[in-house]
Amino acid sequence: MYNEIITAPVAAGFKPYAAGHILWLFGAFLLWTGIYALCKNADERRYRRLKICLAVFSLLMQLARALILRLRGDYGLSQLPLHLCSISVYLCFVYALYPKRLAAQFLFAFSLPGWTLALLFPGWRGYGLYDAVCVLSFLLHIVPIGFVLMQLL
């Protein structure tokens, strides 16, 4: 199974707003609702722990995606973690540990709209819907949106 995940060929991809894409968007809504339910009545300690867990999870997914692309031989200049979404994942991690107003402003003003647009118009459509890179790409945009939305509580 390990070999299948790492060396899976790029499939025909998926069509935007087809059933699979809509299911991912619905799953995102369910995850965000779950994050809201967890944070709604959480005390400060539990809230901070959840915030750090989401940030670490996002960072680990970013690293796993890069590793899978590297092992496949697909890691090139276009995959460097210098896109707005990738930089924002690192900023989420920093903000979870050291909450500063400037970082929060950046996450709300730039990252949140960027992640949302990336979910609506995914650039990873060339991968199969259940390909590891596709799954990680969806999650890399869904989880940080939940991270930013939980700051509103």
Side-chain angles (χ1 to χ4, degrees):
M1 179 164 161
Y2 172 78
N3 258 355
E4 291 172 6
I5 292 173
I6 300 302
T7 60
V10 175
F14 65 93
K15 294 183 188 283
Y17 303 108
H21 187 200
I22 298 297
L23 281 173
W24 270 107
L25 296 176
F26 182 70
F29 177 75
L30 291 178
L31 180 70
W32 298 329
T33 304
I35 290 172
Y36 172 77
L38 285 172
C39 293
K40 184 178 175 186
N41 297 320
D43 61 353
E44 186 62 34
R45 185 170 181 246
R46 183 175 179 195
Y47 176 81
R48 180 165 164 71
R49 193 174 0 175
L50 180 61
K51 187 166 69 167
I52 290 172
C53 285
L54 284 177
V56 168
F57 183 60
S58 296
L59 185 63
L60 290 175
M61 284 188 302
Q62 178 74 24
L63 296 173
R65 183 181 181 277
L67 179 65
I68 289 171
L69 286 170
R70 179 73 177 119
L71 291 174
R72 282 185 183 175
D74 291 342
Y75 198 83
L77 288 177
S78 66
Q79 301 296 336
L80 287 176
L82 300 176
H83 293 220
L84 176 64
C85 294
S86 299
I87 292 171
S88 298
V89 167
Y90 302 126
L91 186 60
C92 278
F93 180 71
V94 170
Y95 180 76
L97 298 176
Y98 309 104
K100 300 291 182 200
R101 185 173 172 85
L102 181 63
Q105 299 263 337
F106 184 87
L107 288 171
F108 278 106
F110 297 107
S111 303
L112 188 60
W115 285 321
T116 305
L117 288 173
L119 281 176
L120 295 175
F121 311 104
W124 55 88
R125 290 188 316 260
Y127 295 97
L129 196 56
Y130 302 107
D131 184 79
V133 174
C134 183
V135 170
L136 286 170
S137 296
F138 269 115
L139 289 175
L140 272 169
H141 292 85
I142 292 170
V143 173
I145 289 174
F147 175 87
V148 174
L149 291 178
M150 73 185 276
Q151 309 310 311
L152 297 173
L153 298 174

